[in-house]
Every structure is written in C-alpha cells, then in structure tokens.
Amino acid sequence: MTPRSKSNWRLFLMGFVLPGFLVWLVYYAFVSCFFLQIFRFTGSRAEFTREFFDSHLSATYPPIDLVVLGDSTAKSALNPLSMNYLFGINLALNGGTALSSYHLLERYLRDHPKPKCVLYVSQYNWNRNYAYFFDRIVNQRSLGFRELFAIWRFGYQHGIYPRTELTTLSFFLSSLRYYFYVGELPLNLIQKAIGRNLIARQAKWEANSRQMIINRGFQNNELRRVQPEHKFMNPELHAAYLAPFSANITEDFYIGALIERTEKLGIKLLWAMLPLADSDHYVAAEVHQRERDIHVLRMMQNRPHVIQVPMPTKFPRKYYFDFTHMVPEGAVALQPYFDPSLREHCASGG
C-alpha cells in the first residue's frame, strides 16, 4: 500500500468512520441506555421472561415444577401463585408464538433442571404475531443470539419463518437493530419523556414490572384500562376470528417440535385453548374457533405425554378487558379448569 493510499484510508477512518461510530455510541449510551434504564420505557410491556433470564432472580427459586409458555392471553390467564400445590413460572410473551415458546424452553433448559410439566396456552398465534417478532420478542430481549441463530437455522432447513418472509441478511440485520435499539427509539422516547404524564406513566410501568416478578410472570391487568365496548373487539388484534381458520406452517412446525422435545426429555406437555369472551362478537368468531380447535387437537392427540386441559369455549364477559385477554378476576374464575390436570401430573411430590 502506497503512502498516499494509507493517507486516504486514514482520512476515511478518522474523518467518517470514527465520527460516525462516536455519534452512534453517544446515541446508544444516552438514548438507549439512559432512557430505557432510568425511565424504563420498555416497562410498558413488562416482560417477566426478560427479568428471569437477565438477572439472578431465578437462582432464588426452588425447583420449578411447571413452566407456562404461550402468548399474551396466557400471561393474563394463569397466575402461578394461585397454584399452591406446585411451584410454577409463567414465561408466556406478548406476541408469543409456538416458535418463541419452543426456543424459550430451550433457553430455559440450558440453565435449569427440566420441569415436570410444560403448559402451552395460546389462541393459536396468527400470522400477525410473526409480524411482531422483532419489536416484541427481539426488542424485549426475551431470546438471546443463540436462539436467534437457531430460529434462522430451523427456518432455512424446514422452509418456515423467517425463510418464508426474510432473507438471511435482513433477518440478522433486523435482529441486531432491534436487539440494540439502533434507529428505533429517539423520537418515540423523546415524545414520551416530555409528556405531561411522565411520572404517572413511569410509576405505572414500574408497578407492572414489579407485580409480574412477584407473581412469577402473571400479568395483572388491574393496571390496564378495561376496553370500552366499541373497542372490546379490536379489528387489528382479533380480525382473524372473523375469517375462516387458516393454519400457519411455522406455528404447526413448532407445535410439533414442542411435542417431540418434551417427549424426548420425559416432560409432560399440557395444553389448553383459552375461551373467548361471551359477548355479541362470539357468534362471528365461533366458526373460526371450532376449526382451529379441531386442527390443534389433531396435532396433539395420540401422544401419551400430551395432556389436553378441558376448557369451555366461552366465558362470561365480565372476566375480560378485551375479547381474548382476561382481567385478574377472570384468571381466578378460570383456575378450577386447570387445577385437576395440574394436580395430577405436575404437583410437587406427585
């Protein structure tokens, strides 16, 4: 390399690369770290799972009998503290899928003895949940890079998500971007930081986060406003119920993977499809629900270690804050449906 080319490279590094890196470093340190850690903006979607894996919290627990996996409906429907006959944790996620559940179980098993039971609870996660993969799963750091690489490898080998939607480059670039909050937060955080209700909002999120840790993952929706009737059936959130059921190849693959993995390890796999709110909207959703339940039952049946927890198809409207998510009183009312199966297969000393 000639002296002139060395000089050009030095100019490029000192004049462009280094300043760019310093700008990014200041951005990351100030915006990402300061706003996230001090003001805890991610607390608006408090994730017990993040706390469980990223701290020494789990080391304080006795042996765990039951791990609950699934989506946000599971977070609001199962409080481990209500199961006094076993020790359980609720690792269900907002925007969770069978994909995230499988890889969360793998992450759990790396550092913890296998539980007696895994309880998988969901509404059968629709395609829209996979659209939330980066901002609700990667951004919340529920999965590590080891799991993200495994997700890419499974997708490439089996022709499922992310291969069905993303190139390898876009998957890993998006993973890095959301994991490190690159280019994602400033306007959003600054807007919230100067809002009138910052103190109240911060206190609410911190209370939600503390409550989830105390309850081992149960999402206490007393801190969330019950939806008025005109918003009870959210068109974006619940639109799938208004159309015929359509299977998702990625969801089906990972349900099968959960079955195979738990069977290999000698873990009981319990599963339940939660009831919908008994409201004016139920009639329109009933056909979808019935087709979905038949489809899932077909995958789960004839496996000795897989146990279905019988559930009603609908439940009183007063126990919900929207069409699928429960208020705390709903979890209390639903618990007797879980108790017989959990006592028989998962109870401590059983």
Side-chain angles (χ1 to χ4, degrees):
M1 185 177 291
T2 65
R4 183 173 181 179
S5 61
K6 288 183 179 179
S7 177
N8 290 337
W9 271 108
R10 188 178 297 110
L11 178 63
F12 174 73
L13 291 173
M14 300 300 294
F16 296 95
V17 176
L18 183 60
F21 173 75
L22 292 175
V23 169
W24 179 85
L25 187 63
V26 170
Y27 150 73
Y28 180 75
F30 179 72
V31 180
S32 296
C33 296
F34 182 80
F35 278 101
L36 281 172
Q37 299 303 322
I38 303 300
F39 291 102
R40 298 182 65 85
F41 282 102
T42 54
S44 60
R45 285 199 170 273
E47 290 287 11
F48 168 77
T49 304
R50 181 181 61 236
E51 304 289 343
F52 181 81
F53 286 121
D54 291 347
S55 72
H56 299 294
L57 181 67
S58 59
T60 66
Y61 291 155
I64 295 170
D65 302 302
L66 174 71
V67 174
V68 179
L69 301 172
D71 59 17
S72 58
T73 62
K75 291 179 69 173
S76 66
L78 283 125
N79 185 351
L81 294 184
S82 65
M83 308 168 197
N84 57 12
Y85 46 86
L86 58 75
F87 192 93
I89 56 171
N90 190 333
L91 297 184
L93 295 173
N94 290 313
T97 60
L99 177 152
S100 60
S101 297
Y102 174 86
H103 290 284
L104 276 176
L105 178 61
E106 290 294 292
R107 185 176 185 185
Y108 174 90
L109 291 170
R110 285 209 309 272
D111 301 318
H112 301 85
K114 67 179 183 181
K116 289 184 178 181
C117 297
V118 166
L119 174 59
Y120 179 65
V121 181
S122 80
Q123 296 285 356
Y124 189 96
N125 302 285
W126 317 305
N127 290 334
R128 58 178 292 280
N129 280 41
Y130 285 90
Y132 293 153
F133 175 78
F134 293 106
D135 58 356
R136 292 194 182 177
I137 305 300
V138 179
N139 183 269
Q140 292 290 326
R141 298 191 177 184
S142 301
L143 300 175
F145 281 108
R146 183 169 175 174
E147 288 73 37
L148 292 173
F149 180 80
I151 289 168
W152 169 82
R153 179 169 54 84
F154 274 50
Y156 183 84
Q157 291 175 342
H158 301 283
I160 56 174
Y161 184 90
R163 189 177 184 180
T164 53
E165 299 181 27
L166 301 166
T167 65
T168 295
L169 180 62
S170 61
F171 174 76
F172 283 108
L173 285 178
S174 295
S175 295
L176 290 170
R177 172 192 170 198
Y178 279 86
Y179 192 86
F180 291 112
Y181 315 111
V182 176
E184 191 64 23
L185 300 178
L187 294 177
N188 180 38
L189 290 179
I190 292 171
Q191 182 182 29
K192 290 181 177 180
I194 62 177
R196 295 180 180 179
N197 300 320
L198 174 63
I199 296 176
R201 189 161 51 231
Q202 178 185 346
K204 174 180 176 180
W205 293 344
E206 289 182 347
N208 196 0
S209 181
R210 288 195 301 270
Q211 191 68 42
M212 290 191 70
I213 293 173
I214 292 170
N215 288 347
R216 299 184 224 135
F218 175 63
Q219 182 169 285
N220 187 336
N221 285 317
E222 289 178 355
L223 295 171
R224 301 179 67 176
R225 181 171 60 88
V226 176
Q227 294 298 306
E229 195 59 38
H230 70 282
K231 293 184 178 180
F232 187 73
M233 183 75 164
N234 186 316
E236 179 192 2
L237 186 64
H238 303 120
Y241 281 111
L242 305 181
F245 173 76
S246 177
N248 181 305
I249 60 170
T250 304
E251 194 73 5
D252 288 355
F253 172 86
Y254 276 106
I255 289 176
L258 275 172
I259 293 172
E260 297 293 336
R261 188 70 170 123
T262 51
E263 182 177 37
K264 182 177 181 180
L265 293 171
I267 299 172
K268 295 287 186 180
L269 176 61
L270 287 77
W271 65 281
M273 307 300 284
L274 294 173
L276 302 174
D278 187 7
S279 65
D280 294 339
H281 310 286
Y282 181 76
V283 174
E286 188 176 9
V287 173
H288 176 100
Q289 182 191 43
R290 183 170 58 251
E291 293 174 350
R292 175 205 67 185
D293 291 355
I294 292 172
H295 177 78
V296 177
L297 177 61
R298 190 178 296 121
M299 286 189 290
M300 294 287 196
Q301 64 186 356
N302 300 323
R303 305 299 286 263
H305 79 294
V306 179
I307 297 100
Q308 180 182 11
V309 179
M311 284 281 140
T313 56
K314 57 184 178 179
F315 217 51
R317 163 71 173 80
K318 65 181 179 179
Y319 292 135
Y320 291 79
F321 76 84
D322 68 16
F323 190 55
T324 55
H325 297 83
M326 289 187 160
V327 295
E329 294 79 11
V332 173
L334 196 65
Q335 188 61 42
Y337 291 90
F338 287 102
D339 284 336
S341 297
L342 294 178
R343 284 182 184 276
E344 178 180 355
H345 299 285
C346 314
S348 299

